[in-house]
Amino acid sequence: MAAEVVANVPAVSDALFEVTIPAPAPPGDSLPPLLWPDVRPRLAALAARPGAAAIFGATGHRWKLEPPLAIFELAEVETQLGLSLPADYRAFLLQAGRGGAGPAYGLFPLGRESGRWHWTGGGASDGDSGPLTRPFAHIRAFNPFDELPARPEGGAADDEWWERYEDAVYDPAHSHGLLYLSHLGCALREALVTTGPSRGQMWADYMAEGDGFHPLQNPDGTRMTFTDWYRTWLTAAERTLDEACRTSSPK
């Protein structure tokens, strides 16, 4: 079996980047401008290239997207959530697909079951309107582990430390306003902020490895939007295969 190739992606940091973002519009049924006409042809071209299966996560999503949402289906999703999704992800759902090929192991698919919409897959958001409409309050990286004192050695103090650990680390308020879209394995996830001062940005939740939450950044230091995140991955995959082709070609 061929070894997996990880496409190069930009490094992230916890640099402060404040941005004023207008309040989200209420759910609506207007069609967004055409933003994603190139995605499906580019994915099809990638799928046909030698070595494409070795790109990290490709054996799961196989470069395929689920069908797009109809405008009335998106209206149902947004009505259920009680908010309008960030515009570029909204356009992606309508023009490209409701899940499938994407960064890491792909985009969690959005589907309807028993009349309600849910993102499916390990670690996906469940479509509950409560957590997504509560603001994600952060504008800089944070780590709930930093709130804990040094762990004592044994005894009642150790039991008390573990209680504080669970309160600090598993507080559901940490992920209010985060729409989880993808995972990198080992419970590491990346999410789109739906509410709060960082609305429209992509953030990493690396709590499973003790690294907390941090915003994803472009090479120039600006915060990644969904468009930046998705297109950076797509371009990196193409460049990785281009480089593999050049290095494997006879001299």
Side-chain angles (χ1 to χ4, degrees):
M1 181 180 294
E4 284 193 328
V5 179
V6 181
N8 292 327
V9 296
V12 297
S13 79
D14 61 359
L16 174 62
F17 179 82
E18 297 191 45
V19 60
T20 300
I21 299 177
D29 59 1
S30 59
L31 287 170
L34 192 61
L35 301 177
W36 302 95
D38 60 319
V39 168
R40 283 182 173 270
R42 290 172 70 180
L43 291 173
L46 280 165
R49 295 186 62 174
I55 295 289
F56 176 67
T59 53
H61 58 68
R62 297 177 297 166
W63 306 104
K64 296 180 179 180
L65 285 173
E66 299 286 332
L69 293 178
I71 188 65
F72 76 89
E73 291 176 319
L74 178 60
E76 289 179 354
V77 173
E78 293 184 325
T79 297
Q80 176 184 316
L81 297 177
L83 57 80
S84 180
L85 295 167
D88 52 353
Y89 179 57
R90 190 176 193 271
F92 188 92
L93 291 172
L94 290 171
Q95 298 166 12
R98 65 185 71 188
Y105 287 104
L107 299 176
F108 293 131
L110 175 60
R112 181 169 51 191
E113 181 179 354
S114 300
R116 293 188 64 79
W117 290 90
H118 305 272
W119 285 265
T120 59
S125 296
D126 65 5
D128 182 351
S129 61
L132 292 180
T133 55
R134 298 188 181 108
F136 181 72
H138 304 279
I139 58 175
R140 69 184 75 185
F142 70 100
N143 192 339
F145 285 105
D146 294 341
E147 303 173 13
L148 296 173
R151 181 182 170 188
E153 295 183 5
D158 187 58
D159 294 338
E160 181 181 350
W161 186 90
W162 277 109
E163 290 179 5
R164 294 184 63 179
Y165 169 89
E166 293 184 356
D167 289 342
V169 173
Y170 298 111
D171 185 347
H174 297 323
S175 55
H176 285 171
L178 292 182
L179 174 58
Y180 288 97
L181 294 181
S182 183
H183 77 93
L184 294 78
C186 301
L188 305 178
R189 298 180 292 169
E190 294 179 342
L192 176 63
V193 182
T194 60
T195 47
S198 298
R199 172 177 158 86
Q201 298 175 10
M202 293 296 302
W203 278 61
D205 174 351
Y206 292 169
M207 284 295 293
E209 290 190 349
D211 293 332
F213 297 76
H214 61 257
L216 302 182
Q217 288 186 267
N218 293 303
D220 63 1
T222 58
R223 296 289 176 84
M224 276 190 169
T225 63
F226 174 82
T227 297
D228 297 328
W229 178 71
Y230 194 91
R231 289 193 174 281
T232 295
W233 164 78
L234 187 58
T235 300
E238 292 167 335
R239 289 176 177 170
T240 297
L241 292 182
D242 288 343
E243 181 61 25
C245 181
R246 284 193 294 270
T247 57
S248 63
S249 296
K251 302 296 183 182

